[in-house]
Amino acid sequence: MATGAGWAPARSVERHGAPRGGSARSKSVAPGLRRPSPSPARARQAADHDGSADSCRVRVAVRLRPKNAQDLAHGSDFNSCVELQPECKRLKLKKNNWSCESYKFDEIFSENASQKRVYEVVAKPVVESVLEGYNGTVMAYGQTGTGKTYTVGRLGKNDPSERGIMVRALEHILSIVSLETDRVAISYLQMYLESVQDLLAPEKTNIPIVEDPKTGEVSLPGAAIVEIKDLEHVFQLLQIGEANRHAANTKMNTESSRSHAILIIHLQRSSRIKEEINGSFSNDIHGISPDDLPLVLKSKLLIVDLAGSERIDKSGSEGHMIEEAKFINLSLTSLGKCINALAENSPHIPTRDSKLTRILRDSFGGTARTSLVVTIGPSAQHYSETSSTIMFGQRAMKVVNTIKLKEEVDYEILYKKMEREVDQLTSEMERQQKLRRSEKMQLDKKLEESEMSFHDLRVTSNMQIENLEKEKRQLECAVKKLMQDLEQENGQKNLLSEKIVHLEKLLNEKKQQQLENLSKTKILADTTKEHEKEMGELLRELEEEKCCSASMKDRLSVLEQQLCDALSFAQLQESMARKLEKELSKVTEDFTSQVQPLKEKIGELISEKELIYEELKSTQQKMQQEMRQRQGLEDQILRLKQSVPDNCAEESKTSCGMVRSGSGLGSAALMSKSGKLREALSGQRGTISKIFEEVGLPNILALLKSEELDVQIHAVKVVANLAAEDINQERIVEEGGLDALLSLLETSENTTIHRVTAGAVANLAMNGSNQGVIMNKGGARQLANVASKTDDPQTLRMVAGAIANLCGNEKLHLMLKQDGGIKALLAMFQTGHNDVIAQIARGIANFAKCESRVISQGHRKGRSLLIEDGVLTWMVANSNRFSASTRRHIELAFCHLAQNEDNTCDIIASGGIKELLRISRESPREDTRNLAKKALDSNPAFLREVQ
Ligand code: ADP
Ligand code: MG
């Protein structure tokens, strides 16, 4: 440490408690603590505590190199041209024997000055300042061979005393900072001919210098910045730098004396890191005041080993082009110009003239603390160089810098801190949750325990109650027994007292006897007296009795009188009765005369009834006859059916007379095939119309409710036949025939009844105005019900025919669907009977046709009700199971369904397209083929599917 008053900025600041680190301070003391008032300011001016501006002035020391061999060789010719006065920090420069000038510097180092002392005086204050967060520069200036590199860049790896400023500065910094929290990194550069080259990464040449337009801070972003691990690492890097400098100079055919070497030490220190790591965190994570923000100090130390300051022609380096020579000197010349301008307080500082001055912008006239060591040789041979070096140093001493502290918020630390706080809070939260869970578990356990103890208590109390009750019962028994004992004792006591009484009585009697004997005589006299008295009494009573009987006699006479009166009243009533009897006989006579004609009438009625019975019997006989005829006809029909091909079935509703007789006759088409059959039927129908005319419809309908099954069957057959005639259909419904038929369907268990009734309903359902009535009276439901209960193909054919007829009325479609008509129709397919299936197909075709018409007229929208009940799927699935005639109905239904656009998706999904295509090509009927083609062509979705 310097002892002189001039060169002691560190001490002067230290004296006033200025922010200074130092060897005296322990490494563990955080730099933030050392600052008197940690301000949140990001950059502030360092206080000049002693009030003098020179605390920021560039410090300049002179170092005289010891005489070398060359000096000694020239020793006789050239005496030393310098004379040092270190005690008064003066230097005398002798031009010749009579001209001498004296200069004052901040420090004068003689040739004996150690490297250690040079470091401590020149560099240490700057390094300390850098450790505090200020920028610093240490620079060596002087003629080649005067010891610049020796002073600044000497490594002294094996001999610590030889170590120059670079190694010592890094050693010093590493001894102060903590690499856990702080960061030390270096860049090592060389500048030659205005080109900056990286000595740590020699491939990087011509590195640009960048200036921050806001802060004016200069940086070399292209240069490698290597973070320092330890001193060994420092040696390694500096050695690499040295080797690269040597290699580069050889390659460029230059000497080290022509290039500037610049070591940049980047230092980053956490301002309050230690307190935060070791101390406790604030509980309020949001309440971070600006003073609590973790700050980071960023500073830079530049250690510059300049090129030789001598003029080129004298340096002995030959062979340079003029331009090159100009460049070699450009940086130094510019530095000199800048220092001159700064020393003279010139308004313009030509910093931008060279790269060196740009890099050193902060070092001279900037915010850095700067120390300059000017090296000189002793030989008078180099007087002019020595003189110019000294003049440079003198001018540099006039440069005043305004040092500034660079503090930044350390967001990394802030983030870490927050993260730690979050971690702490999370763990605290988890701890609390655990605590709560364990508390809950404890409470649950307690609850369980108390429930158990409560249960135990209840059990024990129940047991106690039982015991008490038992005890109570035992006590009651004991009490009862005691009571019995007591009663027994009482009885004994009573017996004893009775005995005592008896004994006392006996005693008394004996006493009495004695007394009696004594007073018998007296008593006898008294008794006589009493007898007399009694006699008198009796006599008086007799007298009273006599009086009483006299009054009774009076009463008797009164009663006799009353009896007489009653007798006379009875006689009167008797005479009245006789009179009434006479009247009654007269009325009876009248009544009898009136009843006689009535009786006669009844007789007549009875005979009439008998007549009617007889008539009915003959009718029955006739009907039986007809039955037989019909049976024959049925056989014929069956025979005909077998001979008639399938395709004779007709689609249209009107041509399908479902039932011509109760037992189920064939269709009209069928009949038309057989004239004989027609004759037979017309004959039969004639008979039935005759019956109809003779008996009357109401009577026939009444027979439907007959108790006798036989009569019922005949009656329903007659009705079914009548219903086959168009003219009767409406009348039968009007006269209540439909109600009777539906009730028969519901109540009867008989198969024939079911079959014929279904046929009758089917016939009635041919009439358009009847269809609505049938539906409204629940006909479809009844038919579906019958279908579900039977597997008789004839019955099913009737039911299917009836529903098929109803399918032809579009107004009833929805109702038909809701009443389960369509589902029942599909279900009947299970029979596998062709006639039934033909009716199903006819119904579906009817339905689809009417629905298609309604939809095309715009009266209804949406997909087909048939599809909703699964008809489409059924049709596609069974298409190859239908007979030819049935298939035609199904094809027609298909074509009609395909006309409705809302069915498109279902048709495609069910695979109906294939069927539709087939119909359009193979259907035996041309109109059907055309209908299918039309549906395919008019629907783009179908066309897409076909492709
Ligand atoms: P420059 O870098 O200024 O050209 P050098 O540092 O290379 O000069 O020094 C030239 C020679 O002088 C070197 O051999 C060096 O060891 C020696 N030298 C310089 N200064 C001193 C000194 N103070 N003590 C001993 N030797 C020195
Ligand atoms: Mg050198």
mmCIF file with all atom_site columns, all heavy atoms in Angstrom, residues 44 47 117 123 139 387 436 545 644 659 678 711:
data_model
loop_
_atom_site.group_PDB
_atom_site.id
_atom_site.type_symbol
_atom_site.label_atom_id
_atom_site.label_alt_id
_atom_site.label_comp_id
_atom_site.label_asym_id
_atom_site.label_entity_id
_atom_site.label_seq_id
_atom_site.pdbx_PDB_ins_code
_atom_site.Cartn_x
_atom_site.Cartn_y
_atom_site.Cartn_z
_atom_site.occupancy
_atom_site.B_iso_or_equiv
_atom_site.pdbx_formal_charge
_atom_site.auth_seq_id
_atom_site.auth_comp_id
_atom_site.auth_asym_id
_atom_site.auth_atom_id
_atom_site.pdbx_PDB_model_num
ATOM 1  N N   . ARG A 1 44  ? -25.244  5.198   -9.669  1.00 0.00 ? 44  ARG A N   1
ATOM 2  C CA  . ARG A 1 44  ? -25.113  6.475   -8.957  1.00 0.00 ? 44  ARG A CA  1
ATOM 3  C C   . ARG A 1 44  ? -23.638  6.875   -8.909  1.00 0.00 ? 44  ARG A C   1
ATOM 4  O O   . ARG A 1 44  ? -22.740  6.059   -9.033  1.00 0.00 ? 44  ARG A O   1
ATOM 5  C CB  . ARG A 1 44  ? -25.702  6.365   -7.560  1.00 0.00 ? 44  ARG A CB  1
ATOM 6  C CG  . ARG A 1 44  ? -24.972  5.333   -6.726  1.00 0.00 ? 44  ARG A CG  1
ATOM 7  C CD  . ARG A 1 44  ? -25.687  5.042   -5.466  1.00 0.00 ? 44  ARG A CD  1
ATOM 8  N NE  . ARG A 1 44  ? -25.083  3.832   -4.940  1.00 0.00 ? 44  ARG A NE  1
ATOM 9  C CZ  . ARG A 1 44  ? -24.646  3.715   -3.715  1.00 0.00 ? 44  ARG A CZ  1
ATOM 10 N NH1 . ARG A 1 44  ? -24.763  4.700   -2.880  1.00 0.00 ? 44  ARG A NH1 1
ATOM 11 N NH2 . ARG A 1 44  ? -24.097  2.609   -3.299  1.00 0.00 ? 44  ARG A NH2 1
ATOM 12 N N   . ALA A 1 47  ? -19.528  8.916   -4.071  1.00 0.00 ? 47  ALA A N   1
ATOM 13 C CA  . ALA A 1 47  ? -19.296  10.156  -3.316  1.00 0.00 ? 47  ALA A CA  1
ATOM 14 C C   . ALA A 1 47  ? -17.797  10.406  -3.183  1.00 0.00 ? 47  ALA A C   1
ATOM 15 O O   . ALA A 1 47  ? -17.018  9.482   -2.977  1.00 0.00 ? 47  ALA A O   1
ATOM 16 C CB  . ALA A 1 47  ? -19.929  10.017  -1.946  1.00 0.00 ? 47  ALA A CB  1
ATOM 17 N N   . ARG A 1 117 ? 4.887    -4.420  -4.684  1.00 0.00 ? 117 ARG A N   1
ATOM 18 C CA  . ARG A 1 117 ? 4.636    -3.041  -4.303  1.00 0.00 ? 117 ARG A CA  1
ATOM 19 C C   . ARG A 1 117 ? 3.969    -2.287  -5.446  1.00 0.00 ? 117 ARG A C   1
ATOM 20 O O   . ARG A 1 117 ? 3.024    -1.506  -5.243  1.00 0.00 ? 117 ARG A O   1
ATOM 21 C CB  . ARG A 1 117 ? 5.938    -2.361  -3.900  1.00 0.00 ? 117 ARG A CB  1
ATOM 22 C CG  . ARG A 1 117 ? 5.654    -1.079  -3.165  1.00 0.00 ? 117 ARG A CG  1
ATOM 23 C CD  . ARG A 1 117 ? 6.783    -0.477  -2.431  1.00 0.00 ? 117 ARG A CD  1
ATOM 24 N NE  . ARG A 1 117 ? 6.438    0.924   -2.286  1.00 0.00 ? 117 ARG A NE  1
ATOM 25 C CZ  . ARG A 1 117 ? 6.886    1.895   -3.031  1.00 0.00 ? 117 ARG A CZ  1
ATOM 26 N NH1 . ARG A 1 117 ? 7.790    1.646   -3.958  1.00 0.00 ? 117 ARG A NH1 1
ATOM 27 N NH2 . ARG A 1 117 ? 6.491    3.137   -2.841  1.00 0.00 ? 117 ARG A NH2 1
ATOM 28 N N   . ALA A 1 123 ? -2.283   -0.916  -8.756  1.00 0.00 ? 123 ALA A N   1
ATOM 29 C CA  . ALA A 1 123 ? -3.464   -1.671  -9.185  1.00 0.00 ? 123 ALA A CA  1
ATOM 30 C C   . ALA A 1 123 ? -4.461   -1.948  -8.069  1.00 0.00 ? 123 ALA A C   1
ATOM 31 O O   . ALA A 1 123 ? -5.670   -1.947  -8.294  1.00 0.00 ? 123 ALA A O   1
ATOM 32 C CB  . ALA A 1 123 ? -3.021   -2.982  -9.822  1.00 0.00 ? 123 ALA A CB  1
ATOM 33 N N   . MET A 1 139 ? -3.171   0.517   -16.746 1.00 0.00 ? 139 MET A N   1
ATOM 34 C CA  . MET A 1 139 ? -2.557   0.513   -18.067 1.00 0.00 ? 139 MET A CA  1
ATOM 35 C C   . MET A 1 139 ? -1.055   0.797   -17.958 1.00 0.00 ? 139 MET A C   1
ATOM 36 O O   . MET A 1 139 ? -0.616   1.577   -17.111 1.00 0.00 ? 139 MET A O   1
ATOM 37 C CB  . MET A 1 139 ? -3.215   1.607   -18.912 1.00 0.00 ? 139 MET A CB  1
ATOM 38 C CG  . MET A 1 139 ? -2.955   1.482   -20.373 1.00 0.00 ? 139 MET A CG  1
ATOM 39 S SD  . MET A 1 139 ? -4.060   2.557   -21.274 1.00 0.00 ? 139 MET A SD  1
ATOM 40 C CE  . MET A 1 139 ? -3.266   4.097   -21.001 1.00 0.00 ? 139 MET A CE  1
ATOM 41 N N   . SER A 1 387 ? 11.390   11.165  -22.335 1.00 0.00 ? 387 SER A N   1
ATOM 42 C CA  . SER A 1 387 ? 10.780   12.476  -22.118 1.00 0.00 ? 387 SER A CA  1
ATOM 43 C C   . SER A 1 387 ? 9.327    12.475  -22.570 1.00 0.00 ? 387 SER A C   1
ATOM 44 O O   . SER A 1 387 ? 8.425    12.907  -21.845 1.00 0.00 ? 387 SER A O   1
ATOM 45 C CB  . SER A 1 387 ? 11.596   13.538  -22.877 1.00 0.00 ? 387 SER A CB  1
ATOM 46 O OG  . SER A 1 387 ? 10.879   14.740  -22.891 1.00 0.00 ? 387 SER A OG  1
ATOM 47 N N   . ARG A 1 436 ? -53.606  -31.197 9.318   1.00 0.00 ? 436 ARG A N   1
ATOM 48 C CA  . ARG A 1 436 ? -55.065  -31.230 9.303   1.00 0.00 ? 436 ARG A CA  1
ATOM 49 C C   . ARG A 1 436 ? -55.561  -32.662 9.114   1.00 0.00 ? 436 ARG A C   1
ATOM 50 O O   . ARG A 1 436 ? -56.496  -33.088 9.768   1.00 0.00 ? 436 ARG A O   1
ATOM 51 C CB  . ARG A 1 436 ? -55.555  -30.333 8.156   1.00 0.00 ? 436 ARG A CB  1
ATOM 52 C CG  . ARG A 1 436 ? -56.832  -29.658 8.487   1.00 0.00 ? 436 ARG A CG  1
ATOM 53 C CD  . ARG A 1 436 ? -56.866  -28.192 8.160   1.00 0.00 ? 436 ARG A CD  1
ATOM 54 N NE  . ARG A 1 436 ? -55.896  -27.399 8.865   1.00 0.00 ? 436 ARG A NE  1
ATOM 55 C CZ  . ARG A 1 436 ? -55.339  -26.324 8.349   1.00 0.00 ? 436 ARG A CZ  1
ATOM 56 N NH1 . ARG A 1 436 ? -55.646  -25.958 7.135   1.00 0.00 ? 436 ARG A NH1 1
ATOM 57 N NH2 . ARG A 1 436 ? -54.475  -25.610 9.040   1.00 0.00 ? 436 ARG A NH2 1
ATOM 58 N N   . GLU A 1 545 ? -155.370 -55.334 57.941  1.00 0.00 ? 545 GLU A N   1
ATOM 59 C CA  . GLU A 1 545 ? -155.563 -56.212 56.777  1.00 0.00 ? 545 GLU A CA  1
ATOM 60 C C   . GLU A 1 545 ? -156.972 -56.126 56.288  1.00 0.00 ? 545 GLU A C   1
ATOM 61 O O   . GLU A 1 545 ? -157.228 -56.061 55.093  1.00 0.00 ? 545 GLU A O   1
ATOM 62 C CB  . GLU A 1 545 ? -155.227 -57.673 57.134  1.00 0.00 ? 545 GLU A CB  1
ATOM 63 C CG  . GLU A 1 545 ? -153.738 -57.936 57.193  1.00 0.00 ? 545 GLU A CG  1
ATOM 64 C CD  . GLU A 1 545 ? -153.086 -57.910 55.830  1.00 0.00 ? 545 GLU A CD  1
ATOM 65 O OE1 . GLU A 1 545 ? -153.652 -58.471 54.866  1.00 0.00 ? 545 GLU A OE1 1
ATOM 66 O OE2 . GLU A 1 545 ? -151.958 -57.301 55.730  1.00 0.00 ? 545 GLU A OE2 1
ATOM 67 N N   . VAL A 1 644 ? -103.868 -71.526 -58.923 1.00 0.00 ? 644 VAL A N   1
ATOM 68 C CA  . VAL A 1 644 ? -103.697 -70.143 -59.420 1.00 0.00 ? 644 VAL A CA  1
ATOM 69 C C   . VAL A 1 644 ? -102.289 -69.636 -59.067 1.00 0.00 ? 644 VAL A C   1
ATOM 70 O O   . VAL A 1 644 ? -101.856 -69.754 -57.943 1.00 0.00 ? 644 VAL A O   1
ATOM 71 C CB  . VAL A 1 644 ? -104.750 -69.220 -58.789 1.00 0.00 ? 644 VAL A CB  1
ATOM 72 C CG1 . VAL A 1 644 ? -104.498 -67.774 -59.163 1.00 0.00 ? 644 VAL A CG1 1
ATOM 73 C CG2 . VAL A 1 644 ? -106.117 -69.623 -59.293 1.00 0.00 ? 644 VAL A CG2 1
ATOM 74 N N   . VAL A 1 659 ? -112.886 -60.600 -47.284 1.00 0.00 ? 659 VAL A N   1
ATOM 75 C CA  . VAL A 1 659 ? -113.632 -61.747 -46.784 1.00 0.00 ? 659 VAL A CA  1
ATOM 76 C C   . VAL A 1 659 ? -114.992 -61.777 -47.472 1.00 0.00 ? 659 VAL A C   1
ATOM 77 O O   . VAL A 1 659 ? -115.682 -60.773 -47.501 1.00 0.00 ? 659 VAL A O   1
ATOM 78 C CB  . VAL A 1 659 ? -113.810 -61.631 -45.266 1.00 0.00 ? 659 VAL A CB  1
ATOM 79 C CG1 . VAL A 1 659 ? -114.690 -62.727 -44.757 1.00 0.00 ? 659 VAL A CG1 1
ATOM 80 C CG2 . VAL A 1 659 ? -112.453 -61.694 -44.594 1.00 0.00 ? 659 VAL A CG2 1
ATOM 81 N N   . ARG A 1 678 ? -118.185 -67.963 -58.139 1.00 0.00 ? 678 ARG A N   1
ATOM 82 C CA  . ARG A 1 678 ? -118.980 -66.729 -58.073 1.00 0.00 ? 678 ARG A CA  1
ATOM 83 C C   . ARG A 1 678 ? -120.466 -67.076 -57.955 1.00 0.00 ? 678 ARG A C   1
ATOM 84 O O   . ARG A 1 678 ? -121.160 -66.504 -57.117 1.00 0.00 ? 678 ARG A O   1
ATOM 85 C CB  . ARG A 1 678 ? -118.723 -65.906 -59.341 1.00 0.00 ? 678 ARG A CB  1
ATOM 86 C CG  . ARG A 1 678 ? -119.380 -64.534 -59.278 1.00 0.00 ? 678 ARG A CG  1
ATOM 87 C CD  . ARG A 1 678 ? -119.528 -64.044 -60.681 1.00 0.00 ? 678 ARG A CD  1
ATOM 88 N NE  . ARG A 1 678 ? -118.246 -63.667 -61.262 1.00 0.00 ? 678 ARG A NE  1
ATOM 89 C CZ  . ARG A 1 678 ? -117.769 -62.426 -61.264 1.00 0.00 ? 678 ARG A CZ  1
ATOM 90 N NH1 . ARG A 1 678 ? -118.451 -61.477 -60.685 1.00 0.00 ? 678 ARG A NH1 1
ATOM 91 N NH2 . ARG A 1 678 ? -116.643 -62.147 -61.835 1.00 0.00 ? 678 ARG A NH2 1
ATOM 92 N N   . VAL A 1 711 ? -124.180 -70.089 -31.787 1.00 0.00 ? 711 VAL A N   1
ATOM 93 C CA  . VAL A 1 711 ? -125.001 -68.997 -32.324 1.00 0.00 ? 711 VAL A CA  1
ATOM 94 C C   . VAL A 1 711 ? -124.088 -67.813 -32.655 1.00 0.00 ? 711 VAL A C   1
ATOM 95 O O   . VAL A 1 711 ? -124.194 -67.200 -33.724 1.00 0.00 ? 711 VAL A O   1
ATOM 96 C CB  . VAL A 1 711 ? -126.073 -68.568 -31.290 1.00 0.00 ? 711 VAL A CB  1
ATOM 97 C CG1 . VAL A 1 711 ? -126.867 -67.382 -31.789 1.00 0.00 ? 711 VAL A CG1 1
ATOM 98 C CG2 . VAL A 1 711 ? -126.996 -69.738 -30.995 1.00 0.00 ? 711 VAL A CG2 1
#
